[in-house]
Amino acid sequence: MEREGRAVGAASGELVTIGEFARLSRLSAKALRRYDELGLLRPALVDPVNGYRYYDPAQVEGARLVAWLRRIGMPLSRIGRIVVLDAGAAAVEIRAYWARVEAETAARRDLAMYLVDHLSAEGRAMSRIPGNTGNTGNAGGTGNAGGTGRTGSSGDAEDTGSRGGRGSSGSGVPGGPGVQGGPVAVPLSIRCAALTDTGAVRTTNQDAAFAGPRLLAVADGFGEGGAEASAAAIEALKPTAWGGGGGALSAADLLNALEDTADSASRAVRDAVASCADPDGSGTTLTAMLWTGSRLGLVHIGDSRAYLLRGGELFRITHDHSLVQSMIDDGSLSREEAASHPGRALLLKALVGEARPAPVAVACRPDVRLREVLAGDRYLLCSDGLSAVVDEAELRAAVIAAEAPEEAVRRLVGLAHEAGGPDNVACVVADVVVAAEE
């Protein structure tokens, strides 16, 4: 014990015992031994005779960083990637991790609020039945590029986003938190159109779009297998894959269907890019709406977007899973600065191949939401080839001016070309109409 308690001289300065280093770093000796075993924090010296560990006091800051990262719940495997980075890269990685935590927390909050509303409504409905107290809720959801389609949809649902305010999903958006489910007397259907375009700069098109009786979707592929990834993601969501038939699903069944299709899309993308030389560098964004007669569901991951035009106002109903969006959210970047930020293309979440250690890691689980549907709504789904180069005022004007979805998608692609067409473009426009109008 005397040998374990002494300090040992070394070229880098005086080393201290594990006990003294534990005091300096506020970590237990047990934790230090564990971090050594995992390669997170190696001792400066291990006595070859008795195995005692000795640390350089200069390692204290690194030890404290490990402790702080554990305190925010970061997995040890990810901490291992951070501790070998320089300060700037480590800061980027921590920001990316926390943005993902906030997005996942928001998704769980949305589901919790939906369950509260759903069960509260069911309780009110059951209480009207003699001898009972009890609840209800509702919700609903995309064909090929350039295609058109129709589908029935009526009912109510809800959607909440990570943050409120104009231009993002949240309580200020129609169909946001607190919307109660219930039957709609007038049956609704949709008229829709989709269009993709290579743009004026790119030589290949990795975007995909689909508009059909049960599915509206856009996907923006990237990497070597981007085109295959975007096509696979949408194919996995088609009604034949997720079982969307003519009958309406209950809110609970639709939530389950959305979760299942999101998982299917993730697997489909991994399979599609598996043969690529760099499968973990290929993937796609995905924004889709699934319709089931009386309900609408939203599946979203990445920085493609969905907008709702209602009452002459255009609302963004998705939240970008990107590094710059997380910086906008925490106030460290303005929307004007984001437009020219060098990291604006970095995604925090996307459908990808193999998981990879990278300064900005991506996750492969899409967000799922339920939304209310009203006659007169017009929905726009688009890749960032449109939203990144055309501002929302121009989008709103084009979406309002077009008489039909087919005209709207042509106008929107034209706007992207007028802005230089630097990227592939994919867009879908769908109108919610009274079924009798069909």
Side-chain angles (χ1 to χ4, degrees):
M1 292 302 294
E2 181 182 350
R3 294 184 63 188
E4 185 178 7
R6 72 185 182 186
V8 183
S12 60
E14 211 170 73
L15 303 185
V16 298
T17 64
I18 190 172
E20 176 63 14
F21 191 73
R23 186 188 67 79
L24 293 173
S25 64
R26 305 286 182 93
L27 290 170
S28 68
K30 180 179 179 181
L32 290 172
R33 285 190 288 269
R34 176 62 172 158
Y35 295 160
D36 178 15
E37 293 168 359
L38 295 173
L40 297 179
L41 187 65
R42 296 291 193 189
L45 174 69
V46 177
D47 191 307
V49 177
N50 55 34
Y52 290 156
R53 296 173 172 85
Y54 296 95
Y55 293 82
D56 189 323
Q59 293 179 279
V60 168
E61 285 304 310
R64 288 174 177 167
L65 176 61
V66 172
W68 291 331
L69 293 176
R70 287 297 292 155
R71 192 172 299 173
I72 66 173
M74 185 177 288
L76 290 172
S77 59
R78 189 157 188 169
I79 293 175
R81 298 204 299 269
I82 290 180
V83 295
V84 298
L85 300 174
D86 60 41
V92 170
E93 176 74 4
I94 294 169
R95 179 188 295 278
Y97 168 76
W98 193 248
R100 177 180 168 185
V101 169
E102 288 186 324
E104 292 175 349
T105 300
R108 290 194 296 270
R109 181 196 65 208
D110 293 348
L111 179 56
M113 291 302 97
Y114 161 74
L115 292 173
V116 168
D117 287 346
H118 174 69
L119 295 173
S120 298
E122 184 176 317
R124 288 192 296 272
M126 291 297 292
S127 67
R128 289 193 291 269
I129 301 174
N132 287 292
T133 59
N135 237 301
T136 89
N138 286 318
T142 151
N144 281 333
T148 62
R150 295 182 172 86
T151 181
S153 178
S154 66
D156 290 325
E158 70 178 42
D159 174 59
T160 61
S162 304
R163 296 146 187 96
R166 173 84 180 273
S168 66
S169 58
S171 59
V173 180
V179 174
Q180 298 295 329
V184 170
V186 180
L188 303 176
S189 61
I190 64 167
R191 297 171 180 155
C192 53
L195 185 62
T196 66
D197 188 85
T198 305
V201 176
R202 302 292 178 88
T203 58
T204 59
N205 192 354
Q206 294 186 311
D207 283 9
F210 186 94
R214 295 293 176 189
L215 179 68
L216 309 171
V218 296
D220 182 357
F222 55 84
E224 176 191 355
E228 293 79 6
S230 61
I234 291 181
E235 190 66 30
L237 265 64
K238 288 184 178 179
T240 54
W242 62 278
L249 294 179
S250 69
D253 287 341
L254 180 57
L255 274 174
N256 290 338
L258 291 173
E259 293 282 356
D260 291 344
T261 53
D263 291 341
S264 295
S266 297
R267 290 193 298 270
V269 170
R270 287 197 297 271
D271 292 343
V273 303
S275 62
C276 294
D278 181 25
D280 57 345
S282 296
T284 186
T285 68
L286 177 66
T287 300
M289 288 183 169
L290 297 98
W291 301 72
T292 63
S294 64
R295 296 176 172 89
L296 179 154
L298 177 68
V299 177
H300 170 68
I301 187 168
D303 62 356
S304 293
R305 293 179 176 179
Y307 294 89
L308 165 64
L309 180 69
R310 180 179 291 176
E313 293 295 319
L314 187 70
F315 301 92
R316 175 150 57 101
I317 59 174
T318 55
H319 199 78
D320 293 350
H321 299 134
S322 65
L323 179 63
V324 295
Q325 183 64 59
S326 72
M327 296 174 72
I328 292 171
D329 294 338
D330 66 20
S332 60
L333 196 69
S334 70
R335 293 189 181 277
E336 292 71 27
E337 293 169 331
S340 58
H341 191 278
R344 61 187 179 278
L346 293 175
L347 296 175
L348 299 180
K349 294 178 70 175
L351 300 178
V352 296
E354 297 290 332
R356 58 179 173 175
V360 177
V362 292
C364 63
R365 190 163 187 90
D367 295 338
V368 297
R369 303 282 193 275
L370 302 179
R371 290 200 57 84
E372 66 163 337
V373 184
L374 297 178
D377 287 348
R378 173 168 281 185
Y379 288 93
L380 164 63
L381 282 62
C382 65
S383 64
D384 68 343
L386 178 64
S387 61
V389 298
V390 179
D391 65 36
E392 289 191 7
E394 289 183 282
L395 288 180
R396 174 181 175 275
V399 172
I400 289 176
E403 286 291 329
E406 293 83 359
E407 179 187 352
V409 294
R410 289 194 297 269
R411 282 178 179 262
L412 293 166
V413 170
L415 286 176
H417 272 275
E418 290 173 12
D423 199 356
N424 304 150
V425 184
C427 58
V428 170
V429 172
D431 290 343
V432 180
V433 300
V434 175
E437 298 177 5
E438 288 297 295

